[in-house]
Amino acid sequence: MMSVAPSGGCLLDLPWEDILVPHVLCHLPLRQLLSLQRVSKSFQSLVQLFLANMRCFDSSKIGPAIPRAAFVNLMKDNEVLHQLVLQNCSDWLTDRELLPVIGQNHHLQQIQLKGCAQLSRHALVAISLSCPNLRCLSLAHCEWVDSLSLRSLADHCKALEAVDLTACRQLKDEAICYLAQKCGKLKSVSLAVNANVGDGAVEEIAKCCPELEHLDLTGCLRVKNESIRVLAEYCPKLRSLKVKHCHNVAESSLSILRGRGVELDVEPPLQRALVLLQDVVGFAPFINLQI
C-alpha cells in the first residue's frame, strides 16, 4: 500500500514508499540521511521509513566514530536487514547495542564484526540463535570468540559458506573440527594468526568441506605437510591457499596443489632463490630450466 506524505512541499508530495524511499533516499549517504531527518518532522518520518526498510547497514559509510546513540536510533525499527557491516567499531560497539539488532533481524545473511573487541561470546551465541540463514561471518581479531560460542554457531548456522576466524586465539583444533563437521557447505575459511591450530583442524576441514575454495593458514605454526596433502586429496575445488610463515609446510606437499593451478602465497624454491640472488647481485642470472 502506498504511503503519501503531507502536502507541505514538492518533494514530500511524492509517494514515499514507491518513489522517495527506493529511488531517492537509497542514493544518499547515511551521513546525509542523519542530517535530513533534522530538517522537519515530516523528513524525520520519511528517513525513519527508509531506515526501517534498509537491507544493508555499513558503518564504513558513516565512519567508526558514529555515536552509540545514533546507531541505536538508526536500527531501532529495522527487522529486514540482510547485511550488517560493523567492522572496526570497537570504540563504541558492545553487546548492549548489538544484541537488540541481531534479535530482531532474522534474515541476516552477512555479518562483519572484524576488530569489534568490546563484544563478548554472548554476541556470537545471539547470532547463532537468531540468524539461521547466515552465509558469511567475519570475526577477525575478535579474541572473545571461544569454543562454546563457536559450537553454538555450528549447531544453528548450517548454511554458512564463509567464516573469518583470523586471530581468534582462544580457538583450538577441537572447536574448528566441530565447525567443519556441522557446516559442510563452507567455501572460504580463515584461521590465520592462530598458533593453536594444527593438522587436525585442517584435515577435518578438508574431509568435511568438499566445496572449499579458499583457506588462509597464515602463521599457523603447527600446520605440517601431512594436512596439506589431505587438503589436496579431498578438496578438488580449492582455488587459493595461504601458508606464509607456516614453517613446517614444505614444497613437497605444496607442489601437488601448485600443479593443479591452486594460487599459493609462497613462491616455489627455485623462484625464491632467484629473487634472493637478484637482491644480492643486482641481476637475475640466466638459468637453463630445461636441463
Side-chain angles (χ1 to χ4, degrees), residues 5 21 30 40-41 76 86 93 95 111-112 114 123 126 168 172 193 216 254 256 279:
V21 169
L30 282 172
S40 68
K41 289 184 178 180
K76 66 180 181 179
L86 294 171
L93 185 67
D95 289 356
I111 301 176
Q112 294 189 38
K114 178 181 178 182
C168 293
K172 298 181 180 180
V193 199
D216 189 347
L254 293 177
I256 305 171
D279 289 341

Side-chain angles (χ1 to χ4, degrees), residues 87-146:
Q87 57 186 17
N88 298 319
C89 294
S90 60
D91 290 342
W92 58 271
L93 185 67
T94 68
D95 289 356
R96 184 175 180 179
E97 293 77 41
L98 181 64
L99 264 57
V101 177
I102 297 298
Q104 66 192 33
N105 281 279
H106 303 292
H107 303 288
L108 277 164
Q109 296 182 11
Q110 179 178 350
I111 301 176
Q112 294 189 38
L113 299 173
K114 178 181 178 182
C116 294
Q118 291 195 57
L119 297 175
S120 76
R121 61 183 300 273
H122 299 295
L124 185 52
V125 173
I127 289 171
S128 66
L129 296 177
S130 298
C131 308
N133 300 314
L134 193 64
R135 298 287 190 276
C136 179
L137 177 63
S138 174
L139 299 168
H141 302 281
C142 293
E143 297 195 21
W144 44 265
V145 176
D146 62 9

Side-chain angles (χ1 to χ4, degrees), residues 120-183:
S120 76
R121 61 183 300 273
H122 299 295
L124 185 52
V125 173
I127 289 171
S128 66
L129 296 177
S130 298
C131 308
N133 300 314
L134 193 64
R135 298 287 190 276
C136 179
L137 177 63
S138 174
L139 299 168
H141 302 281
C142 293
E143 297 195 21
W144 44 265
V145 176
D146 62 9
S147 297
L148 287 177
S149 58
L150 192 71
R151 288 174 73 93
S152 179
L153 178 75
D155 284 333
H156 296 95
C157 298
K158 305 292 181 62
L160 201 62
E161 295 180 357
V163 61
D164 188 347
L165 300 171
T166 298
C168 293
R169 295 187 175 90
Q170 289 195 57
L171 299 178
K172 298 181 180 180
D173 278 7
E174 182 181 4
I176 304 300
C177 289
Y178 191 84
L179 177 70
Q181 292 162 5
K182 295 289 185 175
C183 300

